[in-house]
Amino acid sequence: MPPVTTNVPICIHITGFGAFNGVPDNPTTHVISQITKDIPNWEFPGTITTCIFETSGKKSREMLLDILDHCSEENSGIHIFIHLGVYGGSETFRLENCAYNEATFRIPDEAGWTPIREPIDPQYSVRILSSLDMDSLLEHLEKKFLVVHSMDPGRFVCNWIYYNSLKFCNERKAVSGDRYESMFMHVPMFDVISMDEQVAMVKDLCFYFGNQH
């Protein structure tokens, strides 16, 4: 299915994570930092914001909510969240199709929290699928990059923030009538896929969505 073109202003919010136990130098931190420098030269047909979340459940949710609160102040009818996280064992980019209502942290987050099989929201769905057309997105990206679908984002902070983002986007969409969408992509370490290629992937994602409006 080809992208649908509209004239509604678009804002893309790109997030990554800082260090955490076992990954003292998170590649998504560097990807976000480089993207922030590059954005003024992209000539993107909309607005792009960037943020590096602390790798803790509660703090990352606070930071996400802060971004969402600012969305209502922007003159944009489309808000798309591109969340990035590192998956050290991967040899490809992984498009996460869904998130699960479970927090099981095998190691403490940066606030020392180690939930085990705790629901993220006891009143909400067991699983939330991204409402984006992930099949079309994969078809577009795999022409240039090593990328696969995934139905398992883990149960650490990556899944935590993705679940919250999907939930909040669904809620904001229902209340405001604006379009709120969210996706999560796991990236490998730089010795598998270089920082330059990871930045290129995120830029391609931005223009894929930007060219739809």
Side-chain angles (χ1 to χ4, degrees):
M1 178 187 300
V4 177
T5 302
T6 72
N7 292 317
V8 179
I10 186 171
C11 184
I12 294 182
H13 309 277
I14 312 170
T15 74
F17 284 105
F20 62 96
N21 190 349
V23 183
D25 192 21
N26 195 319
T28 66
T29 298
H30 298 283
V31 171
I32 294 295
S33 296
Q34 187 60 50
I35 286 169
T36 305
K37 295 176 185 176
D38 293 348
I39 287 171
N41 301 318
W42 280 6
E43 298 184 357
F44 180 75
T47 303
I48 299 175
T49 73
T50 60
C51 182
I52 298 171
F53 290 154
E54 178 180 305
T55 311
S56 72
K58 294 173 183 178
K59 183 62 177 179
S60 64
R61 182 162 59 185
E62 289 175 8
M63 297 173 78
L64 173 62
L65 283 169
D66 187 57
I67 296 172
L68 283 160
D69 288 342
H70 282 89
C71 286
S72 60
E73 303 170 6
E74 299 164 1
N75 184 28
S76 298
I78 302 174
H79 295 273
I80 297 180
F81 287 80
I82 300 174
H83 300 294
L84 306 176
V86 63
Y87 179 12
S90 181
E91 296 184 355
T92 66
F93 295 106
R94 293 165 58 95
L95 293 180
E96 302 295 348
N97 285 256
C98 62
Y100 295 88
N101 193 358
E102 179 189 330
T104 294
F105 295 0
R106 60 180 176 77
I107 56 174
D109 69 8
E110 289 303 282
W113 188 37
T114 53
I116 301 297
R117 292 186 292 277
E118 289 189 20
I120 296 171
D121 185 335
Q123 307 302 317
Y124 218 74
S125 306
V126 172
R127 184 183 74 174
I128 310 178
L129 291 166
S130 175
S131 55
L132 290 166
D133 186 343
M134 301 300 275
D135 289 332
S136 293
L137 181 56
L138 177 66
E139 183 180 355
H140 168 79
L141 292 173
E142 64 185 0
K143 296 173 184 176
K144 305 177 185 178
F145 306 99
L146 287 172
V147 55
V148 298
H149 271 323
S150 169
M151 296 294 290
D152 185 6
R155 300 296 184 272
F156 192 46
V157 182
C158 290
N159 175 73
W160 165 275
I161 202 64
Y162 193 22
Y163 187 91
N164 278 291
S165 183
L166 290 168
K167 173 179 174 288
F168 293 147
C169 282
N170 287 343
E171 292 172 346
R172 297 289 175 116
K173 191 186 308 184
V175 171
S176 69
D178 290 338
R179 180 182 168 196
Y180 283 81
E181 310 282 3
S182 180
M183 64 163 287
F184 194 102
M185 182 170 70
H186 269 121
V187 304
M189 302 299 286
F190 287 151
D191 60 347
V192 177
I193 297 180
S194 70
M195 185 181 78
D196 288 346
E197 186 169 355
Q198 295 196 25
V199 169
M201 161 65 104
V202 177
K203 180 179 180 180
D204 195 283
L205 273 173
C206 290
F207 278 88
Y208 175 84
F209 294 122
N211 289 334
Q212 294 181 22
H213 87 290

